[in-house]
Amino acid sequence: DAGGSSLPEASELAPRGKLVFWSGIVSLLCVPVFAELTGLPPYLAMLTGLGAMWTLTDIIHMGEEGEEGLKVPAALANLDTAGILFFLGILMSIGVLDKSG
């Protein structure tokens, strides 16, 4: 490799990582089904999937004292709040435009 790629080598995912990955994919694929069955907007289906993922990761890491950084509250502490609020504002603006016609 003459280019000197800075990407790390691919490694095998742990079984728990595979479970979280595939659960996330399934929750994304179930959004239209959930929205159709309940009549709720798709963003609520996404939030339900997000809540299920949070619950799954908390169950997986339950009792692990040294791995507090893998839990959702620790990950949320590292988020860029300004970026999150920006995208939330965009999504709310789209929702208002959709409702107003």
Side-chain angles (χ1 to χ4, degrees):
D1 180 19
S5 175
S6 63
L7 294 175
E9 281 191 39
S11 62
E12 184 69 25
L13 241 122
R16 294 187 304 183
K18 288 180 183 178
L19 175 66
V20 170
F21 174 77
W22 287 112
S23 298
I25 296 295
V26 167
S27 70
L28 285 174
L29 293 176
C30 287
V31 167
V33 175
F34 180 87
E36 187 65 32
L37 290 177
T38 61
L40 295 171
Y43 73 88
L44 287 178
M46 290 294 294
L47 287 175
T48 303
L50 183 63
M53 293 297 297
W54 186 335
T55 304
L56 175 67
T57 56
D58 273 358
I59 289 171
I60 286 174
H61 297 295
M62 191 180 302
E64 295 179 2
E65 296 300 321
E67 301 292 332
E68 291 298 321
L70 295 175
K71 295 188 178 175
V72 174
L76 289 176
N78 295 330
L79 288 178
D80 174 29
T81 308
I84 296 296
L85 290 176
F86 172 76
F87 285 113
L88 182 62
I90 298 251
L91 291 174
M92 290 178 71
S93 298
I94 291 171
V96 167
L97 289 172
D98 182 45
K99 289 292 181 190
S100 65

